[in-house]
Amino acid sequence: MIKDKTLIKGKVHYVGVNDRTKHSFENMWPLPYGVSYNSYLIEDEKIALVDTVDACYFDVFLHKIKNVIGERPIDYLIINHMEPDHSGSISLIKHYYPNITIVGNRKTFDMIEGFYGVTGEQICITEGDTLELGYHKLTFYITPMVHWPETMMTYDHTEQMLFSGDAFGCFGALHGGFIDARINTDIYWNEMYRYYSNIVGKYGSPVQKALQKLSTLPISAICSTHGPVWTEQIEKVVGIYNQLSLYEAKEGVVIIYGSMYGNTEQMAECIAAELSAQGVKDIVMHNVSKSHSSFILADVFKYKGIIVGSPTYNNQLYPEVESMLSKIAARDIKGRIFGYFGSFCWAGAAVKRITEFMEKTKFEVIAEPVEMKQSMKPDTFEACEKLAQAMANALKSK
Ligand code: FEO
């Protein structure tokens, strides 16, 4: 039986909160399993709080803090990341603990003042600086763009714990327990793909730099800002972040299409059936009017082959396809093989528009696009099958 339910290790406590109310993270990305905003309290001669939580949960947060330290004041507030899901309670913490010293880097303080008008006692750290709390010794690592420019990580030498900010995080609220060793972690793996691809996906190169910087540290626990505290599955978590930030993908195809009356969808079905006949097992089809873009993006990060299809709409792409392509382009995804198709009723534009999108990406086009007027004809079936065969061959040759 666990006596102290907030304790992670030594004198480090979990004081984060769960959000099962919000529908969309950043007002964009659905949260079917909720999300946690993690914060950590290091109880020592000096007390340090690492990050805060969404301001909506401040009462719960303060209650959790007081349950651990009672009326003792907090000496330091370490800000690893300033996005308001974590920084939202800074001014309230400052109000309740007016003598607190805020620890961050130059870019952190610019944002704290800009967002919250908070100034006062501060320690402005640079790479490798340390802070002694008594028994605990902390070192700070600057890790810009994982996920904002001010992002940094805090490493506790005493317990070998890494407070990693958004890195290694995932969607999904925590149900009862918060340490991987004590909970069923099944729901978090797909949510890690979705979290990474939606939120951090553009920043593969900064994530790689951070991973290299941290690679020599002995780590017994990863304490990120979202999702479980990782102790037993550190290797798997770091492996997923490494793979995603290198844009490495599985042999499989994601077919992304729009369709108003089902004709363009028939092209997608024909391509998928031929891919399967060619031995491709992992095929995921997304109708953009039904699948949320966050799930589509996760699959684009997961699979090597991408095939996009769109009807022509007002001499442009189908708007949902256009929106999806812009989300893919914004993430600078590398190393994908790409095929596409389009349809029109009286004047074709979809294929032309996807060609323009293609020219802005680093994707490799595996075949000529297929263009269809109005509905499937024998030559459309043949062309779709050829596109699928080219994709299957390209996948096998990689
Ligand atoms: Fe969880 Fe980039 O904030």
Side-chain angles (χ1 to χ4, degrees):
M1 193 163 92
I2 295 151
K3 282 196 182 131
D4 186 342
K5 294 194 192 83
T6 64
L7 190 65
I8 303 172
K9 209 176 166 202
K11 291 275 189 184
V12 184
H13 293 260
Y14 178 86
V15 288
V17 300
N18 290 298
D19 185 343
R20 300 186 189 88
T21 305
K22 205 174 267 109
H23 285 272
S24 304
F25 190 79
E26 294 182 345
N27 233 354
M28 275 187 284
W29 316 108
L31 294 168
Y33 303 104
V35 66
S36 68
Y37 310 116
N38 297 344
S39 171
Y40 304 93
L41 196 59
I42 308 172
E43 195 188 7
D44 203 327
E45 287 168 29
K46 298 280 186 187
I47 293 178
L49 181 65
V50 183
D51 288 313
T52 71
V53 302
D54 188 301
C56 302
Y57 292 88
F58 183 74
D59 283 352
V60 181
F61 181 47
L62 187 63
H63 185 73
K64 286 191 165 192
I65 291 170
K66 287 192 180 275
N67 269 350
V68 177
I69 57 170
E71 294 308 313
R72 277 188 73 190
I74 303 174
D75 298 282
Y76 301 110
L77 171 59
I78 297 166
I79 302 293
N80 283 330
H81 185 24
M82 273 300 295
E83 193 167 359
D85 51 330
H86 313 290
S87 67
S89 293
I90 290 178
S91 52
L92 288 163
I93 284 286
K94 180 87 180 156
H95 174 77
Y96 279 85
Y97 299 99
N99 297 321
I100 201 165
T101 299
I102 300 182
V103 182
N105 58 69
R106 190 174 51 79
K107 289 180 180 159
T108 321
F109 291 111
D110 173 58
M111 290 186 190
I112 291 178
E113 193 168 354
F115 273 115
Y116 307 113
V118 168
T119 54
E121 203 59 40
Q122 52 183 243
I123 296 176
C124 187
I125 63 96
T126 56
E127 174 74 12
D129 281 358
T130 57
L131 179 68
E132 309 260 356
L133 302 178
Y135 179 56
H136 290 261
K137 181 182 169 190
L138 309 177
T139 300
F140 304 103
Y141 296 94
I142 309 279
T143 51
M145 302 319 296
V146 188
H147 142 236
W148 279 15
E150 87 302 352
T151 319
M152 62 184 213
M153 297 190 194
T154 302
Y155 180 69
D156 176 2
H157 289 269
T158 313
E159 300 294 351
Q160 301 185 336
M161 295 169 86
L162 180 69
F163 302 96
S164 62
D166 278 353
F168 312 116
C170 61
F171 291 138
L174 302 167
H175 307 294
F178 53 85
I179 297 182
D180 61 350
R182 295 189 212 142
I183 59 175
N184 183 331
T185 55
D186 289 355
I187 64 156
Y188 300 107
W189 303 113
N190 277 338
E191 288 297 86
M192 186 171 282
Y193 273 87
R194 209 162 59 84
Y195 175 80
Y196 181 90
S197 53
N198 296 185
I199 309 299
V200 193
K202 182 177 169 56
Y203 307 111
S205 169
V207 172
Q208 274 297 307
K209 281 191 190 127
L211 289 176
Q212 279 155 25
K213 191 181 275 193
L214 304 167
S215 63
T216 55
L217 293 177
I219 296 174
S220 69
I222 291 180
C223 305
S224 90
T225 45
H226 302 288
V229 170
W230 300 105
T231 58
E232 286 189 342
Q233 306 195 67
I234 290 173
E235 203 177 324
K236 181 171 176 177
V237 170
V238 174
I240 290 173
Y241 266 73
N242 186 42
Q243 176 224 320
L244 290 171
S245 56
L246 288 169
Y247 301 98
E248 285 178 359
K250 293 208 291 189
E251 186 183 310
V253 181
V254 52
I255 302 175
I256 304 161
Y257 68 93
S259 190
M260 283 178 277
Y261 297 103
N263 290 299
T264 318
E265 185 170 54
Q266 287 311 306
M267 299 175 83
E269 292 283 11
C270 175
I271 291 165
E274 183 62 20
L275 279 170
S276 176
Q278 293 289 326
V280 179
K281 283 188 181 163
D282 284 314
I283 303 165
V284 185
M285 300 179 71
H286 285 292
N287 175 346
V288 286
S289 302
K290 176 90 189 298
S291 298
H292 190 275
S293 58
S294 67
F295 292 89
I296 302 176
L297 272 176
D299 283 331
V300 168
F301 271 77
K302 209 177 274 181
Y303 297 113
K304 190 147 196 77
I306 305 170
I307 297 179
V308 172
S310 175
T312 298
Y313 195 88
N314 288 339
N315 205 30
Q316 297 292 331
L317 282 171
Y318 191 55
E320 275 72 12
V321 174
E322 185 161 39
S323 162
M324 193 62 235
L325 291 183
S326 111
K327 289 181 177 104
I328 293 171
R331 277 155 183 81
D332 234 353
I333 300 162
K334 298 163 183 69
R336 295 297 183 273
I337 47 182
F338 189 83
Y340 57 112
F341 59 95
S343 66
F344 63 96
C345 183
W346 65 92
V351 162
K352 203 168 137 208
R353 300 285 174 239
I354 302 176
T355 305
E356 288 164 7
F357 156 81
M358 257 314 303
E359 284 160 0
K360 288 184 235 153
T361 71
K362 299 183 179 80
F363 298 159
E364 177 191 336
V365 181
I366 43 88
E368 284 297 310
V370 184
E371 191 166 35
M372 176 183 78
K373 183 177 180 184
Q374 293 156 357
S375 68
M376 296 288 276
K377 315 281 185 321
D379 64 328
T380 332
F381 279 103
E382 199 181 317
C384 285
E385 284 171 0
K386 277 196 179 150
L387 175 63
Q389 287 156 14
M391 175 59 82
N393 289 337
L395 280 176
K396 279 174 211 154
S397 72
K398 298 284 168 188

